[in-house]
Amino acid sequence: MVLGTTSGAGKSWLTTALCRYYSNLGLKVAPFKAQNMSNNARVVASETGSGEIGSAQYFQALAARAEPEVRMNPLLLKPEADTHSQVVLMGQVSAELTAMPWRGRSEKVWPQIAAALDALRAENDVVVIEGAGSPAEINLHASDIVNMRVARHARARCLLVTDIDRGGAFAHLYGTWALLPEDERALIHGFVLNKFRGDASLLAPAPQMLQDLTGVPTVATIPMQWRHGLPEEDGVFDDRTLSAGAVHTTVAVIAYPRISNLDEFQPLKNVPGVRLLWARSPADLAGLKASDWVVLPGSKSTAADLAWLRAQGLDQAVASHAGQGGAVLGVCGGLQMLGEALIDTAGIDGNAPGLGLLPLVTTFEVAKTVQRTKAQFGAVQGAWTALAGVVVQGYEIHHGQTAQHPAMAAKGDVAREVIQGVAWQNAAGNVLGVYLHGLLEDPAVMKALFGADAPTLEAVFDGLANGVAPHFEPGVLDALIA
């Protein structure tokens, strides 16, 4: 099990690397995270056909060469506001759990979490478990279902990883260990210093001093890796990870407050000459060329994010870019925003006028579309012509149902439907809206749009494993599963 002293310490990244490392040994491997809080979700297999899990576990499953499925992340919390989250249990939205208080939820869901973990353990040689946040959140310890309760249940051999680049790493490690009960301390088999920059010899004598205090050795010091190619779990990107080469295309993604599934844009950072920009004000879009993109990504609350976009003045900035023939792409919630109106009689999301860049109208329904989708683009024109005829695979997660605006159609303003029920573009061809997430993770799409192959996920996973394993003390990784 991979635990962290804080969020962002590197748990997801290290878990993914270990999934590939153990898979490369010829072992049958599966990832597991009892509870994830993220609006980055993927559609995977479930007993009911399909369901949602956190993107991190999806990528971990691929790294493990396993079919992603809902047992790998039995509980997913998708924040809809600062104090409210939609609860997804075993891949399906649960209205009952969504309405329950946080602490009252844990005993309700624990039996299914434990059953999912036990089943994965029975079916695999190795299960690599990821914790959440810190295991030493003492205010949450009594209702814990994702950290040490999981570790105790599985009798897991735990690594505790910390981000040394932040500073205070040894205090973080010692303080986390010290706040755990004695029986839980015994499960910590090693400390990991992650994101290290500098001369490793300068760390001495701290690792030995820490071991003297805790009895736990520091088993790895992993260097900072800026260009590992894996999406960060929360989709936070750093400009220092830009691909090499002269910039020929800027992709400006509107970063509204309730943005979702933004990790699907990571492949753009792996393409030489492409600059990925997070736009939060009209100034961020100033100076874009017509060949540059403006992207409206998915949203967990489309109407609220559309209101935010207008409050910033970004609606006019997007319209100006489109009016000059600039490329605009809307994905899921972004597609809905590009239309004429959002209609919500079921109280799902909210009513709002759209941006009016596509003659479409979206109606929100209680039933949620959650499915994998494979389709072929039709006669795409204009800025997106390269997609014509391309077969693409992705996934859909949305309450909204989108169709041609009937009154506008009667006047001759008809959107070009380039994938039935999934993708539309305007008459000029520069504005494209799709319900399909994962479009930019499809190698065929990336090749069509950029004329060069971006690094594959397989190469990314192997690079992670090869970049991590040599930095562990000899024999440690094998001993963890012995």
Side-chain angles (χ1 to χ4, degrees):
M1 184 170 186
V2 179
L3 302 166
T5 57
T6 60
S7 294
K11 294 184 296 293
S12 296
W13 180 84
L14 181 55
T15 299
T16 307
L18 293 181
C19 281
R20 177 49 59 101
Y21 172 82
Y22 289 122
S23 176
N24 282 346
L25 297 181
L27 299 168
K28 186 178 181 184
V29 183
F32 180 82
K33 184 169 185 173
Q35 175 182 282
N36 200 344
M37 178 177 282
S38 178
N39 274 332
N40 295 329
R42 300 296 167 118
V43 178
V44 299
S46 75
E47 290 183 353
T48 60
S50 61
E52 297 178 66
I53 65 171
S55 291
Q57 283 64 62
Y58 172 83
F59 286 115
Q60 288 161 5
L62 297 183
R65 298 184 175 92
E67 179 68 26
E69 47 142 317
V70 296
R71 293 182 302 175
M72 295 169 178
N73 176 209
L75 191 66
L76 175 63
L77 309 180
K78 305 185 76 174
E80 296 179 316
D82 289 344
T83 59
H84 179 77
S85 294
Q86 183 184 71
V87 179
V88 179
L89 179 64
M90 296 303 288
Q92 307 303 314
V93 174
S94 171
E96 176 190 1
L97 292 174
T98 298
M100 288 182 68
W102 180 287
R103 286 183 168 85
R105 190 184 297 146
S106 59
E107 291 308 314
K108 187 82 171 177
V109 300
W110 174 252
Q112 292 188 66
I113 289 173
L117 175 56
D118 290 343
L120 289 174
R121 292 171 62 203
E123 297 168 15
N124 292 275
D125 300 316
V126 180
V127 176
V128 185
I129 305 170
E130 181 188 341
S134 162
E137 303 288 1
I138 54 179
N139 57 314
L140 301 176
H141 192 273
S143 56
D144 170 46
I145 54 170
V146 63
N147 285 310
M148 299 316 294
R149 186 171 186 178
V150 172
R152 293 196 309 269
H153 180 82
R155 300 181 300 280
R157 292 165 176 160
C158 300
L159 297 173
L160 181 60
V161 59
T162 192
D163 177 359
I164 195 170
D165 194 53
R166 291 186 177 186
F170 295 105
H172 283 159
L173 290 169
Y174 179 75
T176 302
W177 175 89
L179 285 172
L180 295 177
E182 189 171 343
D183 63 322
E184 295 179 359
R185 292 178 188 172
L187 297 174
I188 307 297
H189 283 242
F191 295 140
V192 175
L193 302 173
N194 190 30
K195 304 182 186 179
F196 179 73
R197 293 186 285 173
D199 182 353
S201 67
L202 298 178
L203 293 172
Q208 185 58 53
M209 293 172 67
L210 188 62
Q211 184 170 351
D212 292 342
L213 288 168
T214 64
V216 179
T218 297
V219 297
T221 300
I222 302 173
M224 179 72 79
Q225 299 189 35
W226 294 116
R227 296 179 181 174
H228 53 69
L230 189 72
E232 299 291 345
E233 182 172 14
D234 297 317
V236 178
F237 297 106
D238 193 305
D239 281 345
R240 286 171 291 185
T241 64
L242 286 174
S243 294
V247 174
H248 57 70
T249 304
T250 294
V251 179
V253 180
I254 307 297
Y256 20 75
R258 297 165 185 84
I259 189 171
S260 68
N261 295 78
L262 70 167
D263 59 334
E264 65 183 303
F265 302 110
Q266 168 66 33
L268 292 172
K269 296 192 71 64
N270 301 336
V271 179
V274 173
R275 177 190 181 213
L276 185 58
L277 167 70
W278 299 108
R280 296 177 174 86
S281 73
D284 293 326
L285 303 186
L288 292 183
K289 307 184 300 294
S291 58
D292 293 328
W293 302 7
V294 171
V295 179
L296 280 69
S299 168
K300 195 64 186 67
S301 185
T302 305
D305 277 343
L306 184 52
W308 174 89
L309 187 144
R310 285 194 164 101
Q312 312 310 308
L314 278 163
D315 56 334
Q316 297 177 28
V318 173
S320 176
H321 183 69
Q324 296 170 10
V328 176
L329 173 66
V331 181
C332 198
L335 155 67
Q336 296 166 355
M337 293 181 192
L338 290 174
E340 289 292 325
L342 306 177
I343 300 175
D344 184 13
T345 59
I348 301 299
D349 190 290
N351 299 289
L355 297 177
L357 296 180
L358 289 172
L360 304 171
V361 61
T362 295
T363 303
F364 291 102
E365 299 180 357
V366 174
K368 188 176 186 180
T369 299
V370 179
Q371 64 188 27
R372 299 286 303 176
T373 300
K374 181 177 181 179
Q376 184 175 20
F377 278 101
V380 186
Q381 298 180 13
W384 306 99
T385 301
L387 294 175
V390 174
V391 176
V392 61
Q393 299 186 62
Y395 58 100
E396 298 179 53
I397 308 176
H398 53 92
H399 281 283
Q401 299 300 320
T402 298
Q404 173 68 50
H405 191 293
M408 297 183 74
K411 296 179 180 180
D413 189 358
V414 179
R416 184 180 296 108
E417 193 171 25
V418 291
I419 299 179
Q420 186 175 3
V422 173
W424 298 261
Q425 67 174 159
N426 64 344
N430 62 311
V431 179
L432 174 67
V434 301
Y435 263 125
L436 201 65
H437 288 290
L439 186 72
L440 299 173
E441 294 173 341
D442 190 304
V445 169
M446 294 298 283
K447 186 172 184 178
L449 290 173
F450 297 105
D453 292 326
T456 65
L457 280 174
E458 284 297 300
V460 168
F461 297 143
D462 283 331
L464 287 174
N466 295 335
V468 163
H471 300 289
F472 276 82
E473 293 296 320
V476 166
L477 292 179
D478 294 336
L480 288 172
I481 63 168

